[in-house]
Amino acid sequence: MRAFDYIRAGDTAQAVREGAGQETRFIAGGTNLLDLMKLEVMAPERIVDITRLDLGGIEETQDGGLRIGALVTNSDLAADARVRRGWPVLSRALLAGASGQLRNKATTGGNLLQRTRCYYFYDRGEPCNKREPGSGCAAMGGTNRILAILGTSEHCIATHPSDMAVAMRALGARVEVEGQDGTREIALDAFYRLPADTPHIETVLAPGELITAVILPAPAGGRQIYRKVRDRSSYAFALVSVAAVVEVENGRIAKAQLAFGGLGPMPWRDAKVEKALVGEAPSPALFDRAADILLAEARGHGGNDFKIPLTRRTLAAVLSQATEAAA
Amino acid sequence: MSLETTRQLKHDTPDHDRRLDGMAQGVLGTDMDRPEGPLKVSGRATYAAESRPEGMAHGYLVRAATIGRITGSNAEAIRAMPGVLHVLEDERMIRNAAQGMAGQSPVQKQGQSWYVGQPVACVVAETFEQARHAAQAMMVTIEPDGTHVFDAEAEGAEIDTPEKKQVSQGDLDSAMAQAAFSIDHDYHTPSMSSAAMEPHASIAQWDDEGRVTLRGSYQLLRFNKNELADVLGVAPDKVRILSPYVGGGFGSKLGLAPEAVAAALAAQALGRPVRVVLHRRQVFETVTRRSETKQRIRLACDADGKLTGIGHENLVSQLPGEVFSEPVAQGTHFQYAAPNRVVGHNIARIRRSAAGSVRAPGEAVGVTAFEIAVDELAKSAGIDPLEFRLRNVPDKHPENGKPFSSSTMEATLREGARRFGWQHSQPRQRREGEWWIGTGMAGAVRVNMMIEAHARVVLTGTGARVECDMTDIGTGSYAILTQVAAEMLGFAPAQVETVLGDTDLPPASGSGGSFGAASTSTAVYLACMELRERLAAKIGVKETELTLKDGVATHENRQTPLAEVLGDEEWRALGHLKPGRAGREVRQATWGAIFAEVAVSDVTGETRVRRMDGTFAAGRILNLKTARSQCHGGMIWGIGLALTEALEHDPRDGHMVNRDLAEYHLPVNLDVPQLGVHFIEERDDWANPLQAKGIGELSICGAGAAVVNAIENACGVRVRRLPATLDQVMEGLIAQG
Ligand SMILES: Cc1cc2nc3c(=O)[nH]c(=O)nc-3n(C[C@H](O)[C@H](O)[C@H](O)COP(=O)(O)OP(=O)(O)OC[C@H]3O[C@@H](n4cnc5c(N)ncnc54)[C@H](O)[C@@H]3O)c2cc1C
Ligand code: SF4
């Protein structure tokens, strides 16, 4: 770990000011950043500790939604009675992530910004465009079982590893950020960037911009499912995950909000898939068609080819479970 | 007075006296708690990295990023970094950890990087953070020295086929041709890591007399001492190793590892204590791994399911220059009878990190694949796999005709089946929602070994002390050695103190190959027998007529407190066990049977183990609790082998890709159901005077097969490439339609 300056922010204005400095990172739970700093995958010169800021708490918004402070821990958010009642897919996604100990430290803001688990990203002995722009991508032609099949570029095939963000994307969440020019809200749909030829730039945040909250719209209702497929029963990242909010009315799908983990460089959502489902009567053929649309551009890299059929089957199972009783 | 007398046993003949059965204290075989348990759970047991000698500096290893000849480095610049005291590039640094029981230096660096990840330097600084940072900035220049092969099955891999490791009896080819039923498949097991919880760590300190003391985390101290002396070029009596507590070894701490050598060399160069702790990622790379295996198994049987032919031909990998190779067929030589037999052993010399012994080398992967093959043959013969095995229990060693010291294969199979409620069933019969439910079983077998061991027992009027360099790698050595001495000398366990893990004490067996408990317990037993003889002589009775209990000697209806017999004296006795003909004239082994029930998702191919039960026979059980824990652990390893664990090697340079505990998937709590463990109490007179055998590895030798066989029974998919990850099972499900 390279020696760094430690700045404890007293208020958000100070955090934003300090955060905009050169080679600076915010630290919240530290469960991702510290690991990466020890390995010098990330080596900031300055650390701005935001844990003393007033960014905790979960409040109801005027339109029946929720405002989740950036420092709310994954454990607290998952256990919140309102979340469990109105947005159960989020609670389930959180509980499917990491371990109890990690969830106690991990924060809402930090979870959104956690880095990929690509093996080569963690290994300074290997070329990686995300870690060191222009150095190449060792995952191509290497071991890529856990990597992405959608939204990749020739420069990077990493996935975004979060479970929480997948559920939030299915729910249509918005991210509230504070920068030196004030506060703005960014739809989660527009928050992450595809790797293209700059895989090291992962979001639309400007340097120093601080996530202050995540805002959920009013409860979406419907049946909510989070299904995570992984290499062991717990404490493993998703190979494929599906967050689904689905409602059936009069034998037809009235609402389908679907997001996917483990497939792409960001929690994946595809409006075309949802459009194909809405208004239709649930059936295996329909689910297959949805998978066709979702996977039309999917591309495996050898080790992760299996994610294509796995996604198809998992999606079908989730949709059939979500539409079962009503069908 | 402290006259020390010695009792030696060269173990040539079986011991039918079973003296332990006649002892009176009643502590042996109970589920006594570990005496050191409270220290461990309250953080007071000092593990290797935890002492703090004054002036200690910190070292951090530097890894080679490529293979070839080392031509230079930026050491100059590194020395100028904050806090850096020393950059060690010594040619004596070792390439990889020593193999178990080597007793001499492993291959040393000598200007060469043999595999990606080899430690090639060590940066020492005032603080750990400074050392780590500087080590990460260090660049070692390596000139490529040609092209290398990274996969045992790749074209161009150099293959050794050692003559004395091949067996051919009868005519397997014609047995296959004439068989009523036969199978011929390749099975694969991956490269694996011991992944002990405590990372390797060493603190080295030299004194004015040129003697080095190493606080390390090792399993076989008397060998490790010689290994370190050889590396350093000093006499063995100039080396002392202390390993009172070891946070798991599983083979990874059998041989001296690079961090110990780096610490010793750096401490010598600096004249101050140096600590080197391996990062988890370094543990994966620099400590020996279990080789991947390719196993071609051919089996032939007649219409009644009697085996007529067995072929087990194996390919494993290893670095050039290493003697050890995974003895895959170790159990195959004797587990089942069949007149026509082939065992093949081939070693591919490739550039992955060194392979070595990992818990149950040989049988862990060999019996597992073999027991999958047996299941396949039983299925094609239409015979219940339990029944199939019962029809093939050997009555003597099938290759050399030697008798078994004891054979409990049939007993464990029958008792295990009864406990589990085994019923043979066809695949794809039970379904709960999307989950297929199935059951599977496997036999377990592991060779039993003993090695030379010494132990001292010091007797006073009020208690006893056991002393030797034995290690407790979490297995319970402190407990069982205390129990043996307490039982033999008639004391409550609290009156017996056991001191271990110091090479200045008599050299015991160390922990490895499941030989530790039986070998060192026998040495303790011998020392105690010696003391009993001396007590009897002093009291004036025959030793066999002496009953010792609660500190009192009873003889011919008279009672004499030991305090009276010994007064202020301290009697010392040394027990010395030497293995002999008893280990060679018969085949000694431990046996078991493992049963599992799994659920397999028809959607994703995910497998969940729902139930697992093991029945084992391993001679006299010295401590029920520690023995049961060993079996639990082995069965959990079986789940890992069957479902989750695999080290991935990069196809282009062989380096380990998933070298952390997030991506090297050990089973977690949720992967492990309630495990049943049951022992068939046995007295194996050939084993040793305690009639005890090794138990630390048995349950892993087959457990994985029970799970893989259950997957087939559940959903009809047969996996031959372990682990049975969901993608493989899913592809099988898709293929079935
Ligand atoms: C072994 C392991 C297993 C895991 N398994 C899973 C899993 O299965 N599923 C899953 O979803 N996650 C998993 N995680 C990841 C875990 O969820 C994240 O590490 C955690 O959510 C990060 O939150 P944090 O508060 O600790 O972030 P930090 O480590 O403190 O920060 C992460 C990043 O976010 C930035 N940041 C933090 N807060 C803010 C803010 N308010 N505004 C702007 N930037 C900010 C930091 O600068 C840093 O770059 C796992 C982690 C580990 C170590
Ligand atoms: S996939 Fe992305 S993160 Fe992984 S090595 Fe390639 S560039 Fe780096």
Side-chain angles (χ1 to χ4, degrees), chain B residues 59 72 106 109 170 233 276 317 331 345 378 396 402 406 413 462 470 475 521 550 558 574 580 597 629 659:
Chain B
K109 186 179 110 187
V276 181
S317 80
H345 188 72
K396 57 181 187 302
K402 285 181 187 172
S406 76
L413 284 167
T462 54
M470 181 61 182
T475 43
S521 292
D550 296 328
R558 284 200 332 227
L574 191 71
E597 179 180 294
S629 293
R659 51 186 199 280

Side-chain angles (χ1 to χ4, degrees), chain B residues 307 310 334-338 341 370-371 374 389 392 394 398 409:
Chain B
L307 283 165
I310 290 175
F334 64 91
Q335 190 184 2
Y336 292 105
R341 317 174 67 85
F370 203 86
E371 287 293 291
V374 167
R389 287 174 172 86
N392 286 288
M409 178 170 165

